[in-house]
Amino acid sequence: MKIHEYQAKEILRKYNVPVPGGEMATTLEQADTAAKALFSAGNKVVVVKAQIHAGGRGKGGGVKVVKTLEDAQAASKAILGMQLVTHQTGPQGQKVQRLLIEEGSAIDRELYLGIVLDRASAKIVFMASQSGGMEIEEVAHATPELIYKEYIEPAIGFQPYQARKLAFKLGLKTTQINQAVAFMMGLYKAFVDTDSTLMEINPFITTKDDKLVALDCKINFDDNAMFRHKDLKELRDLAEEDPLEVEASKFALNYIKLDGSIACMVNGAGLAMATMDIIEYAGGKAANFLDVGGGANQEQIENAFGILLSDPNVKAIFINIFGGILRVDVLAQGVVNAAKKLNVQIPIILRLEGTNVEEGRKILADSGLNFQVGTTMKEAADLAVAAAKGGR
Ligand code: GDP
Ligand code: MN
């Protein structure tokens, strides 16, 4: 689960990690009030920042550093509501619905700090680099040796000596080392307490008066741990997520939208992946990943249909089911009922195997609806690709 920068900074504040003061705004009036408050509190510089669940905002025009209230107003007006395109949003961009109005910082150096779960070592790794700012991906790609790493033993946690090692590698002044250690220990504690999978401070800055500040912050939480974090769950911003995926999550369907034309309805994640592969192999493209799960019932199947049909790119539906816990006759009846109820006009291609498969096939044949049934996965995939090319 992703959260916004202003929410991430709110969390850091609780762990005594220094972040700039600021206010979130959803309207120009709120943005204006926040900017006025910052200027009248004596700030010479204010920053207007787009809040979207993607990085690279600076380069995309979503971060503006301003020195007057007029410029702050102009920046808020330009950013709020814009379709912000960054290297992480895709070409369609993401609509900016929230702003963070923040006190400006006098930057001396832009450094980088990151904490991630490293699967290869099965440990949390703490990373630091002198090359922070907007080019960190490039640094990681071209000069990975400039990113310093400390692997954390799960049983003992992040140790102050490790933080000191990183602080020295960052080339911090001796007067900043203790500050940096407290900063990093705070981050690590926040990471562990919140069941994060990723925490990035980019840039992690030193200011002209030698302070250390988290100028930007990105946090991702582990979805599987959210059941024990009611407070964090509330930080979810559905407006930032794909509407079909949000809808699917309400029904406990495992759905990921993709950009092809063949919708897939499959039981089991492994079979779903194999289905996407065979569609690709047959010359088509999957419109989604959808695992209806082992125990899908009538209602689940209807919900799944509804979601597949509301994707305008879908030209054919490929149902690939291996009946185990989910019996094929139950699935077939579910498909017939849903197709009738939702008046599905798109070709439906099925490949069915497993428990009660004969009963299932009979239900389809007797339904009076025009289903296409493939005997093998490959045959069904070919049928689906042909049907999708035939148009809606
Ligand atoms: P991102 O591009 O989405 O990662 O957004 P960031 O929050 O990292 O901001 C991008 C860049 O804007 C930073 O690397 C800074 O160079 C600049 N920036 C952000 N806040 C300030 C500020 O308070 N003062 C100054 N001078 N620059 C800032
Ligand atoms: Mn950043």
Side-chain angles (χ1 to χ4, degrees):
M1 180 183 137
K2 294 181 180 174
I3 58 170
H4 287 293
E5 173 193 9
Y6 77 90
Q7 296 167 321
K9 285 177 166 170
E10 222 33 76
I11 292 173
L12 294 192
R13 218 170 259 134
K14 291 190 189 136
Y15 288 84
N16 297 318
V17 174
V19 294
E23 289 281 344
M24 191 274 282
T26 55
T27 65
L28 290 178
E29 292 69 41
Q30 286 173 3
D32 200 33
T33 310
K36 265 185 197 134
L38 288 174
F39 280 118
S40 41
N43 288 289
K44 297 272 182 289
V45 179
V46 164
V47 188
V48 178
K49 306 184 81 174
Q51 299 294 287
I52 56 169
H53 283 186
R57 296 162 303 164
K59 283 189 177 171
V63 178
K64 295 256 187 299
V65 179
V66 295
K67 293 188 172 138
T68 64
L69 187 59
E70 292 68 46
D71 286 352
Q73 286 164 337
S76 297
K77 205 166 168 209
I79 297 173
L80 191 65
M82 85 186 281
Q83 202 67 22
L84 180 53
V85 179
T86 81
H87 64 276
Q88 289 183 7
T89 59
Q92 77 288 355
Q94 179 74 28
K95 187 172 178 189
V96 180
Q97 310 196 51
R98 301 179 190 208
L99 295 174
L100 173 59
I101 313 294
E102 208 174 57
E103 56 188 31
S105 305
I107 302 176
D108 185 25
R109 300 176 64 205
E110 296 201 23
L111 311 169
Y112 169 89
L113 291 178
I115 312 178
V116 288
L117 198 62
D118 178 56
R119 286 166 198 272
S121 61
K123 285 175 183 157
I124 293 170
V125 58
F126 206 122
M127 302 180 287
S129 177
Q130 299 205 11
S131 319
M134 297 194 266
E135 307 289 345
I136 192 70
E137 282 94 351
E138 188 50 35
V139 175
H141 181 70
T143 47
E145 68 279 5
L146 295 183
I147 297 178
Y148 309 108
K149 294 179 178 171
E150 283 293 321
Y151 291 88
I152 301 169
E153 281 303 326
I156 55 174
F158 187 52
Q159 297 294 300
Y161 83 88
Q162 294 182 297
R164 271 195 298 280
K165 241 164 105 179
L166 291 173
F168 280 110
K169 290 219 164 122
L170 286 174
L172 293 173
K173 298 177 185 169
T174 43
T175 51
Q176 293 170 328
I177 299 290
N178 285 345
Q179 240 189 102
V181 170
F183 192 110
M184 289 186 226
M185 300 303 291
L187 280 189
Y188 175 74
K189 186 153 182 9
F191 182 95
V192 173
D193 284 358
T194 56
D195 284 310
S196 292
T197 54
L198 174 135
M199 193 174 276
E200 266 186 321
I201 311 298
N202 188 33
F204 163 49
I205 61 159
T206 65
T207 64
K208 303 266 190 229
D209 54 355
D210 281 350
K211 293 211 172 65
L212 304 176
V213 180
L215 204 63
D216 185 11
C217 179
K218 169 176 179 164
I219 301 181
N220 291 352
F221 300 129
D222 183 347
D223 289 336
N224 294 317
M226 283 301 100
F227 72 95
R228 57 185 187 192
H229 297 286
K230 291 223 164 48
D231 51 331
L232 300 180
K233 234 172 155 171
E234 281 167 18
L235 301 178
R236 186 166 172 201
D237 181 1
L238 295 178
E240 293 288 317
E241 299 177 25
D242 185 286
L244 286 180
E245 291 182 15
V246 172
E247 190 67 11
S249 70
K250 286 186 203 153
F251 307 126
L253 292 166
N254 245 319
Y255 172 86
I256 310 280
K257 187 172 156 22
L258 303 168
D259 51 14
S261 62
I262 301 173
C264 312
M265 193 192 300
V266 186
N267 64 333
L271 187 57
M273 307 264 261
T275 304
M276 288 158 60
D277 282 350
I278 205 152
I279 287 172
E280 197 77 33
Y281 184 65
K285 255 184 156 341
N288 65 280
F289 169 99
L290 172 63
D291 172 10
V292 293
N297 54 25
Q298 173 68 40
E299 204 188 339
Q300 282 289 80
I301 292 161
E302 256 173 47
N303 291 333
F305 256 109
I307 284 164
L308 298 181
L309 290 172
S310 41
D311 175 354
N313 295 334
V314 166
K315 302 278 187 286
I317 299 176
F318 181 8
I319 302 178
N320 189 5
I321 299 288
F322 186 87
I325 302 170
L326 170 66
R327 297 189 339 255
V328 175
D329 55 327
V330 173
L331 178 275
Q333 195 58 57
V335 170
V336 169
N337 293 352
K340 282 185 177 159
K341 188 165 163 189
L342 302 170
N343 188 25
V344 180
Q345 299 297 324
I346 298 172
I348 300 177
I349 299 88
L350 302 99
R351 175 264 180 179
L352 305 168
E353 232 18 285
T355 314
N356 295 357
V357 66
E358 289 314 326
E359 290 91 323
R361 291 201 174 127
K362 189 162 164 13
I363 290 168
L364 294 179
D366 296 347
S367 69
L369 295 171
N370 192 17
F371 296 112
Q372 302 180 50
V373 180
T375 42
T376 64
M377 243 168 98
K378 179 63 170 53
E379 191 187 313
D382 286 337
L383 286 170
V385 171
K389 288 203 174 122
R392 197 162 177 163

